[in-house]
Amino acid sequence: MISNIINKLYSELPSTVKLVAVSKFHPFEAIEEAYGAGQRIFAESRPQELLSKVKRLEELRQECPEYMSDIKWHFIGHLQTNKLKMVLPYVSLVQSVDSQRLLDAIQNWGAANGRVVDVLLEPHVAAEDTKQGFSPDEIYDILGRAVGTNAYSHIRFHGIMGMATFTDDQTVIRSDFSALRNIFETCRKKFPTLSQDFTELSIGMSDDYPIAIEYGSTMVRIGSMIFGVRG
Ligand SMILES: *Cc1c(COP(=O)(O)O)cnc(C)c1O
């Protein structure tokens, strides 16, 4: 049962690690059940799915205004710049900022809407071939501009989000998490004025979260372990 697994996770996660329940591909009722067990942060990876769940909740709140009033949504998927308005008004954190183009679009949206958007930057360390994700140097350049210029006046940088290579080989997973931790710590050292906000290292999913915690995870994103395998 969803509530048993949530309770078990909370009993074993260190108090410094936030649990993000990844509810993608699962119905709104599963979110209600997890919320009932005390879970508050939920993450979605597709704009349309996030929006339909947010709208469902808005409907329920017409009857009951305080219903699930302290739920928080994170976005963790690839976000196209033409979909920002489906996502940014509703989420407390965009974890998956993976390109300069997306970052610039978020800054423009924030400026136009009078909002400061909370983000994590996503470096690419895993072995899979993808054009998404920053190199470490790109991340240091961005943060350099964030402290040295007005370029990101409507963005607040909270840390790093990453994924390990999709493999059973623990050596590879450890080396990826180690690389992500290294980027995170380098950012904090290079840019001490950001370090008050720059506190999150979002690593760890259902299959690898215990290892991620060894590498300093502050935020684990767990889907299938809580909700089952679906989709
Ligand atoms: C789906 C997803 C997760 C959760 O994965 P599980 O293996 O189901 O726990 C975590 N992070 C991201 C970015 C995802 O897309």
Side-chain angles (χ1 to χ4, degrees):
M1 261 191 46
I2 289 174
S3 58
N4 294 343
I5 299 162
I6 301 246
N7 290 337
K8 182 169 172 298
L9 279 166
Y10 275 107
S11 70
E12 70 183 35
L13 290 175
S15 60
T16 50
V17 179
K18 297 180 195 71
L19 174 60
V20 176
V22 178
S23 46
K24 67 180 183 205
F25 310 146
H26 293 275
F28 188 77
E29 290 67 29
I31 294 173
E32 289 176 299
E33 192 175 339
Y35 185 94
Q39 180 59 26
R40 291 297 178 267
I41 310 176
F42 293 86
E44 291 285 335
S45 62
R46 295 188 301 192
Q48 187 55 56
E49 189 175 349
L50 169 73
L51 195 59
S52 68
K53 286 169 177 167
V54 165
K55 295 291 173 200
R56 175 77 192 278
L57 183 54
E58 282 177 1
E59 268 168 42
L60 293 166
R61 280 181 183 157
Q62 301 198 328
E63 295 287 312
C64 184
E66 295 298 302
Y67 191 60
M68 294 168 77
S69 61
D70 55 354
I71 192 171
K72 287 196 158 54
W73 302 99
H74 289 184
F75 194 79
I76 59 171
H78 181 56
L79 182 53
Q80 288 172 295
T81 54
N82 62 350
K83 305 245 164 94
L84 294 191
K85 61 181 180 304
M86 296 166 71
V87 170
L88 298 187
Y90 310 108
V91 298
S92 63
L93 185 65
V94 182
Q95 294 206 13
S96 46
V97 176
D98 57 5
S99 74
Q100 184 65 54
R101 193 175 132 82
L102 175 58
L103 191 66
D104 292 342
I106 292 174
Q107 160 66 17
N108 291 339
W109 184 92
N113 291 277
R115 281 265 317 264
V116 174
V117 181
D118 296 296
V119 307
L120 305 182
L121 296 173
E122 185 178 354
H124 177 64
V125 300
E128 284 90 11
D129 222 13
T130 156
K131 291 189 200 68
Q132 278 134 38
F134 294 107
S135 71
D137 282 340
E138 286 172 327
I139 289 188
Y140 309 143
D141 286 349
I142 287 165
L143 296 179
R145 287 196 294 280
V147 298
T149 75
N150 253 341
Y152 303 121
S153 53
H154 289 76
I155 295 180
R156 200 177 293 116
F157 296 92
H158 283 280
I160 295 294
M161 183 272 237
M163 269 183 277
T165 305
F166 186 70
T167 173
D168 288 333
D169 186 344
Q170 281 226 3
T171 320
V172 175
I173 295 172
R174 286 177 183 278
S175 135
D176 289 347
F177 284 156
S178 169
L180 289 161
R181 174 173 65 183
N182 196 11
I183 296 167
F184 172 66
E185 286 179 352
T186 304
C187 292
R188 285 179 49 85
K189 281 202 204 85
K190 270 170 126 40
F191 306 104
T193 54
L194 287 182
S195 61
Q196 212 177 349
D197 289 328
F198 205 90
T199 53
E200 303 293 353
L201 177 59
S202 174
I203 53 174
M205 318 194 337
S206 294
D207 290 337
D208 57 18
Y209 76 90
I211 305 176
I213 289 168
E214 286 180 47
Y215 287 84
S217 175
T218 66
M219 203 177 253
V220 291
R221 309 178 309 270
I222 299 189
S224 49
M225 182 183 168
I226 297 174
F227 296 110
V229 181
R230 216 165 168 256

